[in-house]
Amino acid sequence: MKRNFILFLVFAATTMVLVAHPHLQKSIDVKIGEVEAKLSFYTSPANPEHVKNAEVGKFSTGYARLALSSNLTVGGQTIPAGDYTVGAIRDGEKDWTMVLLPGKLGYDDTPDVSKVLKLKSSFSSSEGNAGHVDYNISPGHGAMTGRAVLVWRYGTLYLAGALTDAE
């Protein structure tokens, strides 16, 4: 009886932790033309205060990683094959640009903003609400129609960065 009770407590505690604050590891594999792209990230609860307090001109990261098997060329800019940390730079009160920082950014690392690759971006706060950080690579819509885009959803924020030119 005592053993069953202990097993129940362990199960209940584990379930509470998983339900209360899950961080799920996700990855998405996509072929963009001949380029293989792998997007990897952990979900975490959206934190609107973090966004509200983000400084203009500073790099913000959701710790997503993008790996490209070959070069991508978009808007006359070449994105070399390799690994990137996905981020954003706040341009103003209600404007953000999606960026790729070469390499892996550690938790306490300070990024060199001069090294980021800026993507043609589309920002909106009217695409619904994502309770957790979420990324995707998908066909764009609106200003991004005809492009493959990297999408970052965070609370009410929706940021898309072009990975291809419009067809």
Side-chain angles (χ1 to χ4, degrees):
M1 180 72 147
K2 185 177 181 181
R3 182 174 179 260
N4 287 342
F5 182 70
I6 291 172
L7 287 173
F8 171 77
L9 287 178
V10 170
F11 174 77
T14 303
T15 302
M16 287 173 61
V17 169
L18 289 175
V19 171
H21 194 78
H23 292 281
L24 304 175
Q25 183 176 2
K26 297 175 84 175
S27 64
I28 299 164
D29 294 308
V30 177
K31 200 146 190 199
I32 303 170
E34 296 301 313
V35 178
E36 293 177 20
K38 180 173 185 161
L39 178 62
S40 304
F41 64 98
Y42 284 92
T43 61
S44 62
N47 179 354
E49 286 301 309
H50 173 76
V51 174
K52 188 187 303 183
N53 295 328
E55 293 182 50
V56 172
K58 298 286 183 172
F59 179 89
S60 293
T61 184
Y63 298 100
R65 304 227 172 15
L66 177 67
L68 301 173
S69 66
S70 301
N71 295 350
L72 277 177
T73 301
V74 56
Q77 171 181 248
T78 297
I79 303 170
D83 297 322
Y84 296 90
T85 298
V86 179
I89 294 178
R90 188 177 198 166
D91 298 317
E93 182 63 29
K94 296 185 179 197
D95 195 24
W96 293 77
T97 298
M98 176 89 65
V99 297
L100 300 175
L101 177 70
K104 180 180 178 182
L105 183 65
Y107 187 74
D108 291 327
D109 292 346
T110 302
D112 182 349
V113 178
S114 70
K115 293 184 178 180
V116 301
L117 300 171
K118 293 184 176 184
L119 304 180
K120 177 176 176 55
S121 301
S122 176
F123 172 77
S124 173
S125 58
S126 62
E127 298 281 334
N129 190 347
H132 285 75
V133 173
D134 195 23
Y135 291 89
N136 203 348
I137 297 174
S138 62
H141 66 278
M144 294 291 188
T145 297
R147 302 172 185 267
V149 296
L150 174 57
V151 176
W152 184 359
R153 297 195 55 150
Y154 188 82
T156 60
L157 306 181
Y158 174 94
L159 181 60
L163 294 174
T164 62
D165 291 319
E167 295 178 354

